């Protein structure tokens, strides 16, 4: 509770970063977004760095944030996942406040990505900070983080990145901060996912009645 105001302020600063992956996953604005996240992780004791992934065809991919804090290699390891990119805001005239100007109305913070998934990142950062303050730095648990930079753009380089960084990302449990809540007051915990399948359906018809 004592740290909540700082976390909300941090979330607002992240919202202000226009990390729109659809405007170029390799672009400088996406790298700045990743560096912002990595810096916050380093401040809570995670050895985080920004790494550029590679697409299946070998071209440069997204700016990813990866890092770890392993005190005891024999201890269980938890992997924390979120993504730092967002969807385009659409027509700004449809917004009650500018999408990249974090705005508090009532007890909620509004802005593009304030929930999906910048809040997920800050939830992880806040949890790590609180955990360290309670148990100290020398805890019997391994922490690994992977914050993706192209989740909203199809994750084209995701499989390659996982393969190339398999040893670093190895964990016993994965906590994904990118799922639903029952409502604004009730959190939810998803304990299993089946994955998804995407496909493109093309329907051809006659140009005119036969």
């Amino acid at each position: 509770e004592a740290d909540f105001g700082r976390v909300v302020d941090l979330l607002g600063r992240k919202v202000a970063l226009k990390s729109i992956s659809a405007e170029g996953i390799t672009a400088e604005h996406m790298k700045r977004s990743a560096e912002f996240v990595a810096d916050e992780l380093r401040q809570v004791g995670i050895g985080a760095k920004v790494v550029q992934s590679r697409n299946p065809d070998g071209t440069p991919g997204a700016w990813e944030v990866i890092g770890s804090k392993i005190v005891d290699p024999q201890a269980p390891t938890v992997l924390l996942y979120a993504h730092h990119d967002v969807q385009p805001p659409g027509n700004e005239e449809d917004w009650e406040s500018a999408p990249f100007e974090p705005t508090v109305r009532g007890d909620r913070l509004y802005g593009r990505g304030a929930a999906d998934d910048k809040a997920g990142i800050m939830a992880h950062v806040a949890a790590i900070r609180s955990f360290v303050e309670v148990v100290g730095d020398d805890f019997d648990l391994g922490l690994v983080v992977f914050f993706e930079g192209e989740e909203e753009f199809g994750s084209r380089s995701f499989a390659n990145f996982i393969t190339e960084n398999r040893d670093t990302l190895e964990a016993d449990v994965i906590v994904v901060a990118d799922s639903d809540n029952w409502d604004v007051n009730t959190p939810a915990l998803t304990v299993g996912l089946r994955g998804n399948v995407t496909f493109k359906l093309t329907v051809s018809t006659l140009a005119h009645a036969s």
Side-chain angles (χ1 to χ4, degrees):
E1 291 180 354
D3 198 39
F4 186 72
R6 185 194 66 83
V7 175
V8 173
D9 177 71
L10 190 61
L11 174 58
R13 290 165 54 199
K14 181 66 180 77
V15 168
L17 295 177
K18 299 180 180 181
S19 52
I20 304 171
S21 50
E23 293 185 355
I25 58 171
T26 63
E28 193 64 27
H29 72 282
M30 294 305 301
K31 186 177 182 181
R32 284 196 301 269
S33 171
E35 291 286 4
F36 179 93
V37 174
D39 183 62
E40 291 304 320
L41 288 167
R42 288 190 287 265
Q43 291 188 39
V44 295
I46 303 295
K49 61 182 179 180
V50 175
V51 178
Q52 189 169 28
S53 60
R54 292 187 302 147
N55 293 314
D57 62 0
T59 58
W63 295 105
E64 320 281 30
V65 180
I66 190 172
S68 63
K69 181 178 177 62
I70 307 297
V71 177
D72 179 2
Q74 303 304 314
T77 299
V78 177
L79 169 63
L80 306 177
Y81 169 89
H83 63 89
H84 66 91
D85 67 318
V86 299
Q87 286 280 351
N91 189 350
E92 293 196 16
E93 294 179 356
D94 295 332
W95 289 73
E96 293 185 25
S97 53
F100 293 104
E101 293 180 11
T103 303
V104 175
R105 295 198 296 275
D107 59 354
R108 296 181 67 80
L109 178 71
Y110 292 85
R112 171 54 88 213
D116 182 10
D117 190 26
K118 296 173 180 178
I121 294 173
M122 297 314 155
H124 283 323
V125 170
I128 295 170
R129 181 183 292 272
S130 297
F131 182 65
V132 171
E133 287 181 353
V134 172
V135 305
D137 289 325
D138 189 20
F139 47 80
D140 189 23
L141 180 71
L143 292 178
V144 176
V145 297
F146 171 34
F147 293 164
E148 189 185 354
E150 59 173 354
E151 194 272 351
E152 301 286 9
F153 196 64
S155 300
R156 296 175 183 176
S157 66
F158 186 89
N160 276 1
F161 190 81
I162 294 294
T163 300
E164 293 177 355
N165 295 276
R166 178 174 180 173
D167 292 341
T168 301
L169 296 172
E170 185 175 1
D172 300 287
V173 177
I174 301 174
V175 179
V176 179
D178 187 18
S179 55
D180 294 329
N181 285 334
W182 290 111
D183 54 48
V184 296
N185 297 312
T186 310
L189 182 63
T190 301
V191 296
L193 296 172
R194 292 181 179 272
N196 59 16
V197 176
T198 61
F199 63 93
K200 182 180 293 186
L201 175 65
T202 301
V203 178
S204 298
T205 64
L206 295 174
H208 53 80
S210 59

